Amino acid sequence: MAMREIVFLGFANAQLLDVTGPFQVFATANDLLIAGGRAPVYGLRYLAGDGGPVATTAGLMLMAEPAAVLDRLQPHTLMVAGGEGVNAAIRDRDLLDRLQRGAARSARVASVCSGALVLAAAGLLDGRRATTHWCRTDEFRRRFPRVTLDPDQIWVQDGPVWTSAGITAGIDLALALVEADEGPALARAVARQLVVFLRRPGGQSQFSPLLPKPATAAEDDFLALRIQATADPAADLTVPALAARAGMGVRAFARAFRSATGETPARWVEAMRIDAACRALESGAGSIKSVAVTAGFGDDERMRRAFLRRLGVAPDIYRSRFGSAV
């Protein structure tokens, strides 16, 4: 079987794990094949800048070949890293042009984390579905409206283009690529060797805050109202009750709130209550039922449905993953 060449394209201040996580998945696949008496199937290369030691966001230097080497390669898979260096990379016309040319010669293209912004800046995601790190989803949507962003997915495949969520999701993506290439048995063996999930339960939403954004100028009209609601999530926060607090009619309030915040009052209230419940679950305080009451859900079943709908995991699972030891 012909060797599949996996080329990682980086740059100064790429995220270390965006490169080394997927790199190790493919290297471990080779190791396991060799141990089983088979030939390795992946050739691995890292290209960045002018070559030599290139800094990552962690400060660790990675030895790289010059990015210009890509011009004479025909990779099976071309993978782009993310990290702080993405901000410069999406403005680097030479890098984007090189990426476009390299992608045209590759069987498939992939990005890890915020590397999706680099693919999008090169026009490689136009008309496609993609994902990226949760903290850059708003920016991504503003910059690249021609891309359909699916922010909760750990990884997304759209034809020959694959994208992953934040940082360690690159490992999940690489396992999926190994499975596509060599079947589930090898992918499962690699996951076991690396002590990771072959398919991570839940989506990216469980790791991201639902209420991360500060108020904009347009939202200031409702800032006091939202602060009051956040202080007492178990209060009556139905649309009529909120409209009465704002001194507005129900329909006018609902329209104005959505225009100012980008979401309906009901969705905002649910997100705020989930955020309150998450903080309680992380602290380890109280039972699931008591958290449901104090967070304003009324009962644990209603909270469970909201968690599954918005985070993709049940409250007890969320607590087991993120709760403090008590």
Side-chain angles (χ1 to χ4, degrees), residues 92-213:
D92 186 338
R93 193 67 252 172
D94 288 341
L95 183 147
L96 297 178
D97 289 344
R98 176 165 287 126
L99 175 57
Q100 287 177 328
R101 295 192 301 269
R105 298 190 304 274
S106 302
R108 66 186 174 199
V109 179
S111 66
V112 179
C113 191
S114 55
L117 280 82
V118 184
L119 291 189
L124 298 174
L125 296 181
D126 287 355
R128 296 187 181 276
R129 293 174 56 247
T131 192
T132 190
H133 193 294
W134 60 262
C135 74
R136 303 198 72 161
T137 54
D138 290 341
E139 174 192 0
F140 190 102
R141 286 192 176 104
R142 288 195 307 270
R143 285 180 177 271
F144 309 111
R146 288 181 287 184
V147 183
T148 301
L149 193 66
D150 196 345
D152 190 44
Q153 298 304 306
I154 296 296
W155 55 265
V156 169
Q157 178 192 7
D158 190 325
V161 181
W162 302 60
T163 53
S164 86
I167 308 179
T168 60
I171 294 174
D172 302 72
L173 172 63
L175 287 167
L177 295 176
V178 170
E179 183 171 5
D181 293 340
E182 294 292 322
L186 180 59
R188 190 176 301 111
V190 172
R192 286 173 177 160
Q193 184 69 19
L194 297 180
V195 196
V196 296
F197 287 111
L198 177 58
R199 293 180 182 83
R200 187 189 312 219
Q204 184 174 209
S205 293
Q206 63 188 299
F207 301 97
S208 63
L210 290 181
L211 300 172
K213 296 181 291 186

